[in-house]
Amino acid sequence: MKAIGFRWYVHAALALLVVVARALHADDKPALRAWLDRDSMRLGETVTLNIEIDGVGAASPDFSVLAKDFNVLNTQSGQQVNISNGARSAKTLWAVGLEPKHEGTITIPALTVGTAQTAPIRLTVAPAPSAAQQAGGDIFLEASAEPLDPYVQQQVRYTVKLYYAFDLTDGNLAEPKADGLTAQRLGQDKSYVASVGSRRYHVLERHYALTPERSGPIDIPALAFRGTVLDAADPAAFFGRGRSVSARSDAVHLDVRAKPASWTDGAWLPAASLLLKDEGEPPAEVHVGEPVTRTIRLQAQGLGYEQLPELELAAPAGAEIYPDKADTRTRDDGEWLYGERVRKFAFVPNRAGTLTVPGLSVRWWDTEHDRAEEATLPPRTITVLPAAGAASTPAPATPAGTIAPPRPAPAAPTIDADLHAGLWKILAATAFLLWLATLFAWWVSRRFARAPAPVRGTPGASASAPAAPRADFLRACALGDLAGAERALVAWARSERGDVHNLGQLAAGLADPAQGDVLAELQRTRYASGAAAEGLAARLQRAFRGGLRWRVDAAAPHREEALPALYPDHD
């Protein structure tokens, strides 16, 4: 009986081990699932594929199999660990943004993570909506062009408006592109709020200048916008990833016209407006050799400066012409391009009489009224007087029947780049005066440098000591400035004897013991780290108030030393 009971316990234990082993083996294959944030969409929109597996540390799935039917936009992953009532659970999530490449039913194949596989998922992709069909949704995009039938090289104003009813965290708006078309962004984006139907939207407005380079039909493809918005209902929101959104505009078709047959020659200028004008008025009369400047400005609305012709004027009879380099630029006001050329022409008359400054005309096509126009600057007539200072005696009359020999025309004066003769006269006079001043200063400095030094050997005060160093010395002593007093004293001594450069040389050349003692005290204070003695500045002032008392017997104030001075030229 006891043997039977023992065998029963053994069998029960073995059965329990089998159950536990099977359970542990089942746990070796973690739970894996995949889902889309929606199962139907329109072409041009994006969808998010989510893949979740229990546990952490699993290798990322191979998403390359999705490239056949989708544009893989971005991939994000994260891990989450929860502890509840002492039980710990963890999971890993991958989120992939997908943009279908075509419409129809697309099957997302099974993806493998470790030893587990996801189930295939079906997605229905409908045709892309038009901008009008998008209106009223959370986000839509509008694109428009004006005019739709431009001339070749005429500016087309292209406007893009993005409407969105939520807060975008980021976004990317494509640029307009087409064969035979150049695009230039104008100004800054505009942001405002607008109502469409019963909904209010944030609006982002952007402008472009499109220039068709050839005639014929040109199709501007639809623009696409992709962005991200945070969505609290997204199960992956704990990653802070946000939901992808997109919008798509309608395509725009242009019928570009060739330039009219009536336009035979000259630069083709299709512009909304054109301005040709003089900058300033020329003088009524000038003298021979005095320049006359004509500044011409050409500006066109709807064209870049590269499309504008060069400004050219011919040399008139009786004058030389000197054109300046053109100043060019293109600016915009947020909707229109404005090309501009400005050029200066200087005319220098070489004979008295009447000077006719030539005019200028520019033909252009008025796109607002669809007709040819011509902008004109009339010629200007200026009276040229004889050169300033020239004799005004009239030329002798030529007897009848004789031919007067030709009078040689006066040589054209040499002029500088800006050709303003009056300005150069002022500059020449100023330069001459500055040269005279420099010459005078040099002469004064040479005279003082060659002045004889005071006679050495006369004891007593220096009658010819310069006032400035002596005054500086006395002022520094009065202020208690020992460093300033030293510099001024050395300068004072050097003005009387040019070979004095420091206090040691000065002390060696002095005959007055009192002056030598106070100099020694000054040297100890300045260079031996000694504290300044009380009243030293006052003693210096008293000792040297009457001047420097030089020794009589020495040809030089000091003898040559084997070593150079410790503080040469200390001033």
Side-chain angles (χ1 to χ4, degrees):
M1 188 69 178
K2 289 181 180 180
I4 295 175
F6 176 75
R7 287 195 299 270
W8 183 85
Y9 283 115
V10 171
H11 290 164
L14 291 174
L16 180 59
L17 288 175
V18 170
V19 172
V20 172
R22 289 178 177 177
L24 291 176
H25 180 71
D27 289 343
D28 288 342
K29 190 173 183 179
L32 176 67
R33 67 189 188 101
W35 73 95
L36 295 171
D37 59 354
R38 49 186 169 151
D39 55 11
S40 63
M41 59 183 297
R42 288 184 177 271
L43 189 65
E45 299 176 347
T46 60
V47 66
T48 301
L49 170 64
N50 300 285
I51 301 174
E52 185 182 77
I53 188 171
D54 292 339
V56 295
S60 175
D62 181 10
F63 296 114
S64 62
V65 296
L66 304 175
K68 176 183 176 182
D69 299 306
F70 298 93
N71 294 319
V72 180
L73 304 179
N74 51 59
T75 302
Q76 295 182 347
S77 63
Q79 297 177 347
Q80 186 180 32
V81 177
N82 292 324
I83 299 177
S84 177
N85 297 326
R88 179 180 178 276
S89 63
K91 59 183 178 180
T92 302
L93 177 69
W94 291 271
V96 186
L98 302 176
E99 180 186 27
K101 294 181 178 180
H102 57 85
E103 58 188 71
T105 301
I106 301 176
T107 299
I108 297 176
L111 300 175
T112 301
V113 179
T115 59
Q117 273 193 337
T118 64
I121 305 175
R122 298 181 64 184
L123 175 66
T124 302
V125 181
S130 65
Q133 292 173 324
Q134 295 181 51
D138 291 337
I139 182 171
F140 61 96
L141 190 63
E142 290 182 350
S144 61
E146 175 65 29
L148 295 175
D149 57 345
Y151 283 103
V152 62
Q153 296 183 7
Q154 176 185 349
Q155 177 187 334
V156 177
R157 303 189 306 280
Y158 187 81
T159 304
V160 183
K161 295 182 180 181
L162 175 68
Y163 294 80
Y164 53 98
F166 36 61
D167 292 329
L168 291 170
T169 59
D170 59 61
N172 179 51
L173 179 60
E175 302 282 329
K177 294 180 181 179
D179 292 336
L181 194 73
T182 61
Q184 180 177 340
R185 188 168 167 180
L186 302 178
Q188 301 293 325
D189 293 344
K190 300 177 182 178
S191 298
Y192 52 91
V193 176
S195 296
V196 179
S198 59
R199 297 194 66 177
R200 290 179 64 81
Y201 292 88
H202 300 283
V203 182
L204 175 70
E205 182 175 325
R206 183 174 293 178
H207 294 268
Y208 296 88
L210 306 183
T211 304
E213 301 294 339
R214 59 172 176 81
S215 58
I218 295 180
D219 290 313
I220 305 173
L223 300 187
F225 171 81
R226 296 189 185 95
T228 305
V229 59
L230 290 177
D231 187 355
D234 190 346
F238 64 89
F239 296 122
R241 177 178 49 82
R243 177 169 62 90
S244 297
V245 294
S246 62
R248 191 179 183 88
S249 72
D250 289 332
V252 175
H253 178 78
L254 300 179
D255 287 315
V256 183
R257 294 178 285 172
K259 62 182 180 180
S262 59
W263 194 274
T264 56
D265 56 4
W268 169 239
L269 302 176
S273 66
L274 185 138
L275 174 68
L276 180 67
K277 72 170 187 175
D278 277 313
E279 296 288 316
E281 292 290 330
E285 59 182 34
V286 296
H287 291 273
V288 171
E290 292 181 355
V292 177
T293 301
R294 186 169 197 178
T295 303
I296 299 177
R297 179 183 299 274
L298 175 62
Q299 177 181 289
Q301 179 183 1
L303 297 174
Y305 82 85
E306 303 89 345
Q307 299 172 264
L308 302 182
E310 289 286 350
L311 301 176
E312 301 287 352
L313 292 180
E320 301 290 337
I321 184 172
Y322 298 88
D324 199 0
K325 184 179 178 181
D327 182 15
T328 59
R329 68 168 181 162
T330 300
R331 61 180 180 86
D332 69 83
D333 62 0
E335 293 188 10
W336 286 98
L337 292 174
Y338 291 88
E340 188 174 84
R341 284 186 180 270
V342 180
R343 196 174 193 188
K344 295 181 180 180
F345 300 86
F347 301 89
V348 182
N350 51 33
R351 68 188 183 194
T354 300
L355 173 64
T356 301
V357 177
L360 181 67
S361 62
V362 176
R363 294 184 66 219
W364 62 288
W365 192 268
D366 184 354
T367 57
E368 296 295 307
H369 302 92
D370 202 17
R371 66 191 182 194
E373 296 285 356
E374 186 172 8
T376 303
L377 290 180
R380 299 298 182 98
T381 301
I382 300 173
T383 300
V384 181
L385 304 176
S392 58
T393 305
T398 303
T402 63
I403 300 176
R407 299 175 60 189
T414 302
I415 57 177
D416 67 329
D418 60 5
L419 303 173
H420 292 290
L423 176 61
W424 272 106
K425 292 177 182 178
I426 297 174
L427 292 177
T430 303
F432 180 70
L433 291 176
L434 290 175
W435 178 78
L436 287 178
T438 304
L439 184 61
F440 177 74
W442 175 82
W443 176 78
V444 170
S445 64
R446 294 289 295 174
R447 182 179 180 185
F448 279 103
R450 293 177 181 177
V455 178
R456 302 176 185 177
T458 302
S462 305
S464 59
R470 182 177 183 275
D472 291 342
F473 169 73
L474 296 177
R475 184 183 304 110
C477 290
L479 297 174
D481 179 10
L482 296 180
E486 177 188 346
R487 288 192 298 270
L489 186 58
V490 172
W492 180 4
R494 188 185 301 173
S495 67
E496 296 186 7
R497 296 189 175 183
D499 51 0
V500 176
H501 299 287
N502 51 55
L503 289 181
Q505 295 173 347
L506 173 58
L510 292 176
D512 188 347
Q515 290 183 340
D517 292 342
V518 75
L519 284 182
E521 187 177 359
L522 177 61
Q523 285 182 303
R524 286 194 300 272
T525 301
R526 296 277 291 133
Y527 305 114
S529 302
E534 184 70 24
L536 177 57
R539 290 193 294 277
L540 276 170
Q541 185 178 24
R542 286 194 299 270
F544 291 95
R545 184 185 298 275
L548 299 170
R549 296 180 175 85
W550 298 104
R551 282 174 23 197
V552 180
D553 55 343
H558 68 286
R559 62 180 178 83
E560 290 293 331
E561 299 177 358
L563 295 176
L566 181 60
Y567 299 97
D569 294 312
H570 190 84
D571 55 2

